[in-house]
Structure formats: structure tokens, C-alpha cells
Amino acid sequence: MTSLEPDERYSRQILFDGIGAAGQQKLAAARVAIVGCGATGSALASLLARSGVGAIRIIDRDYVEASNLQRQTLFEEADASESLPKAIAAARKIAAFNSQIVIEPQVADLTPTNVDSLLAGAGLILDGTDNFETRYLINDYAVKNSLPWIYTGAVGSYAVTMNVVPGRTACLTCVFPEPPGGALETCDTAGILNSAVNLAASIAATEALKFLIGAESQLRHTLVSFDLWRNERSEISAAKPRPGCRTCDAREFPHLAGEGRPHITLCGRNSVQIHERHRPMDLTEMSERLRIHGTVKHNDFVLKFWHDPYEMTLFPDGRAIIKGTSDTAVARSLYARYIGN
Ligand SMILES: [Zn+2]
């Protein structure tokens, strides 16, 4: 039988000069949070979990869908057919290849209201999100609390990443006072190559290891980006905070003071998310109620209800995603009709 003792499991990483036995022990004691567990978040979680980072909190509100399988490496066909929340599916998959670390799945959207509790205790925050709204929220929280974080993004064939060490390097607002021009492109509109995701995540995961073992002199101090299809690479300095930056210089944190997402939002194409009901929902009871109106399937984490031409997904916190319309009024009336207020 193969030994699962840490010395054996991590032997090839301990052999690597930059890490060694002392570095490996620091990784075992480290706690990180990964915000978003889609493609980039999956790759980050997988790499860091295999590397032996001791505790990883995975925060994601979505559930696994078939279109995720092309690039979201922690998920399987069964997760998509069960519509498992990504945080739960990721935790299960990781437990199967490394049961010796702690994975804390959180099925939630990171918002100004819950950012303190969801990121509490993390020594490093990793960005697996797909939007600048959440990235500015992470940046405000990290700068305010002097916590390092790593910005990571991928869309199309483009990959980008930057380390933020508050007080020492530039922060996200230093580099992007406003969301960058291409920020509105998402993998729903521009598509995405799985290799671009893995490149961004590989660089960010390596920087994370450097942070966690204290190899500060090796940290990269640039915003680096690649376009794998066009064979382009660019790097701009992010070594110093920008004088006049409203976040790290003026210490204004408007994203922490925000109300969070509006109660009803478009999400992706032809789909609306509603979270105006702030009380828990009993999915078993709801499943019984909905059965007479259409096809229903549920597990502990999610309920799916098909009522042609709509597909409704309900979560225990009362949140719903309605597919088949991009009209928020239609979505709201469906919610009121089948779920109640
Ligand atoms: Zn700044």
C-alpha cells in the first residue's frame, strides 16, 4: 500500500528547492479563501489542495451545468446532472484526492453584508470570480484589513493576474480606477479556452505558494497578461501604490458599504436571478408543492423545476434562478406564482 504520510505525499514538492520541508509545513498551517469556483477557482482549488495548503474555504453560489465541464476541472457529468452547488461538488472532489486538508464549502455570493464572515481567518484571498463588482469588493476588504489577495481572470484566449499586497504594491484600484474596457466581456459572450484559465490559475497558484511560505523576494510585482491565441504577452509594473488611489491612499471603501447585489439580476443569457426572499426554503416541501405543475428534482442543496419553457432552480436560502427569460417582470411573476412571496 502506498503511504499517505505527508513526507511521501508531498515528497516531490519538498524536493523542490524553493519549498523544502519547512515550506511544506507552512503550507499545511495556511488558510486561504477562494472566491468563486468556476473555471479559475476550480483550477486554483485543485492546485492548492494538491500542494497541501491546510485549509481552503471555497465560496460560490452557482451549481454545476453541462457547459462548465469543458474547463471547470473539479466537476463531473454526475455533478451537472444532479445540479450540485459548485462549492459542494468541489469539496467532494478534493476530499477524494486529499482527505488530509480541510475544505470549507460555502454556497453563497460574496456581498458587502457577508464579506467579513466569509473571509474571516483567511491569510490570503484568491480570485476565482468572473466580475469586477466582486473584485472591487475583495480589494476594498483586503486593503482595509491589510490582507494579500491575487487578482486572476481569463476570458477568450486571454489570461491575466496580479498580486496585491496592501501597503506595498499597487491595489486593483491603483491599476484600474474604473473597470477595464473588456470587463463586460464574459465567457458567456466571448467564450473561453480552458488553457487560458489554467495558465492564469497556474501563475496565481505559484504566487500563492510564495506568499504562504514567505518567499517574498520571489513574488512578482507586475500585472501580467497573455493572449494565447494571438501570441501576445504584456506586463506593467504594479510594484508601488499609485499616489491618489482612492482605495489605498484615500482609504475609501465604497464597495464594503454597498447594499450588495440588487434583489433581481440578469445572470448570463436568457436567465434571471431573484433573491428577494430572505427566509430559508424547505426543498422537500417545495418539491411536493411544485410536482403538480411540472417536473421536479431535488437534493439537499438545490431544487430544479421544469415548467415549459422555463427552468427554475431554487436554493435553500430562498434564492431562485429562472432560465428561459431575460425579462425580470416575467421572472418575478413566475416566482410569485410558484414559490410565493
Ligand atoms: Zn490602490
Side-chain angles (χ1 to χ4, degrees), residues 171 173-174 245 247-248:
C171 80
T173 328
C174 289
C245 170
T247 311
C248 55

Side-chain angles (χ1 to χ4, degrees), residues 139 143 169-175 241-242 245-249:
N139 191 61
V143 171
T169 70
C171 80
L172 188 69
T173 328
C174 289
V175 178
R242 177 175 54 78
C245 170
R246 69 171 185 271
T247 311
C248 55
D249 198 354

